[in-house]
Amino acid sequence: MGLVLKKSLAYSLLKKRIGQANHFLITILVGLDEVSKGNAKKSATLDAKWDPKDVKVSASRSRTYALNSSLAWIVDNFDSYVQNCKRKPSFIENNELRRALDSADRRVNEKFEVLYNRYKATGDLKLYGALIALGIQWRNVTTHSGGDNVLDNEYEGILQENKDWYTNNFCHLDVDKAQDSFNKRKNPSLKEVASIIKSVLRFVEIVDKELIKEIDVERYVKDLLDKHYPKESKERRLFANQTREHQLSKIKQLLLNSGFVYEEGDGLLVDNEFLTKYMGDIKCQVSV
């Protein structure tokens, strides 16, 4: 039994940040529904003034704000996933892919298209990708006044050719209605935002698994350890003063916290040979 890499740190962070985003958004909208009915009262512990002239209008506008903000937030989190994959320990082994993502600079749509075009033949990635493409353009027109963004013909075609799939997999999502609302510059609905959130999670899950197939695990582990225990750092000096048994235990836990899991068969064996190979300059004061 050994340690096998199953996911990136970037994916774990994304799941932590947006894994329950739909639940949080629905909770906000449930609260706003009570506001619109006049049932909500400001708590004395809330140190803010709240005295809307018309609670229905205020709740309606706040609902729009919550949905548009959630859409912007999910797109930004997708962008963060890509950026985090590029940071040390880099989860991107392929130099051509890295250069393409670097060339995209801060343009999230170009980063998305780099990943989409590289992996679009994998599973249902194209189907999730079409909704993400719509979400990115929709984010742009709701965030930037006067935005003239349009959805690429390829993504429009995917949405139109797979209406039943979207209906069945996204709680009766109506892609015709979604595209019409986007084209008319209307704000997205709860179902549309929730569907885009789900698509980002599924898309990234597929991409993450494909990146793992290309990873040089030895290089990745070395970068991970170098980041956690930089040479000449206080952390590395403290690590060196621990027993060999404690050192091995710390590294095992670090790997388990970094996307590795125990599996039967081949995998990393965290033993004395491992320490010598990856942290050869580490000495411990007490031998075990």
Side-chain angles (χ1 to χ4, degrees), residues 16-250:
K16 182 178 181 181
R17 288 174 63 86
I18 70 171
Q20 289 189 288
N22 283 339
H23 168 74
F24 298 150
L25 181 55
I26 292 170
T27 300
I28 292 170
L29 298 186
V30 168
L32 288 173
D33 189 50
E34 291 302 296
V35 170
S36 70
K37 296 174 182 177
N39 296 333
K41 304 296 180 184
K42 185 179 81 69
S43 169
T45 60
L46 181 61
D47 188 18
K49 182 180 179 180
W50 186 69
D51 186 23
K53 295 179 180 179
D54 187 321
V55 291
K56 288 186 177 180
V57 171
S58 182
S60 177
R61 294 177 65 189
S62 297
R63 177 188 176 91
T64 297
Y65 173 80
L67 289 167
N68 288 345
S69 297
S70 294
L71 181 58
W73 188 64
I74 192 67
V75 171
D76 285 348
N77 272 273
F78 174 79
D79 187 32
S80 293
Y81 166 78
V82 179
Q83 292 299 104
N84 288 332
C85 278
K86 292 166 55 182
R87 294 189 179 103
K88 189 174 182 177
S90 173
F91 212 69
I92 299 171
E93 198 71 43
N94 184 279
N95 289 330
E96 180 185 355
L97 175 58
R98 171 174 283 280
R99 284 193 295 268
L101 291 171
D102 286 342
S103 295
D105 194 25
R106 300 182 64 181
R107 297 179 292 274
V108 64
N109 188 58
E110 290 189 22
K111 294 174 191 173
F112 160 74
E113 290 194 340
V114 167
L115 294 175
Y116 173 86
N117 288 321
R118 183 174 179 84
Y119 300 115
K120 63 182 179 181
T122 308
D124 292 327
L125 186 136
K126 283 176 65 174
L127 297 165
Y128 295 121
L131 269 184
I132 296 174
L134 175 63
I136 291 172
Q137 300 306 327
W138 215 335
R139 184 284 303 260
N140 291 341
V141 299
T142 57
T143 302
H144 307 295
S145 178
D148 58 355
N149 300 71
V150 296
L151 185 63
D152 187 88
N153 288 338
E154 178 175 354
Y155 306 124
E156 281 193 340
I158 293 171
L159 292 171
Q160 287 299 311
E161 292 165 12
N162 297 277
K163 293 179 184 180
D164 290 343
W165 187 88
Y166 289 107
T167 298
N168 295 332
N169 288 276
F170 291 90
C171 299
H172 304 287
L173 174 68
D174 186 334
V175 294
D176 284 331
K177 181 180 178 182
Q179 287 182 273
D180 184 63
S181 293
F182 167 72
N183 291 331
K184 292 179 178 178
R185 298 304 189 249
K186 295 180 180 179
N187 294 305
S189 68
L190 171 60
K191 187 180 295 294
E192 289 154 357
V193 173
S195 297
I196 293 166
I197 292 172
K198 178 180 177 180
S199 290
V200 167
L201 286 167
R202 296 291 180 268
F203 182 97
V204 168
E205 182 180 18
I206 293 171
V207 167
D208 213 65
K209 290 178 179 178
E210 292 302 306
L211 292 175
I212 286 174
K213 295 177 183 178
E214 303 170 357
I215 281 279
D216 179 340
V217 177
E218 289 196 4
R219 188 275 308 161
Y220 182 73
V221 169
K222 183 179 183 302
D223 286 353
L224 183 65
L225 293 174
D226 284 347
K227 180 180 179 181
H228 200 76
Y229 297 109
K231 291 184 179 181
E232 309 302 327
S233 68
K234 177 182 177 182
E235 291 81 4
R236 202 171 182 100
R237 289 194 297 273
L238 290 172
F239 183 86
N241 286 329
Q242 296 169 349
T243 67
R244 184 70 68 176
E245 183 179 50
H246 197 186
Q247 289 173 348
L248 292 171
S249 176
K250 294 273 282 188

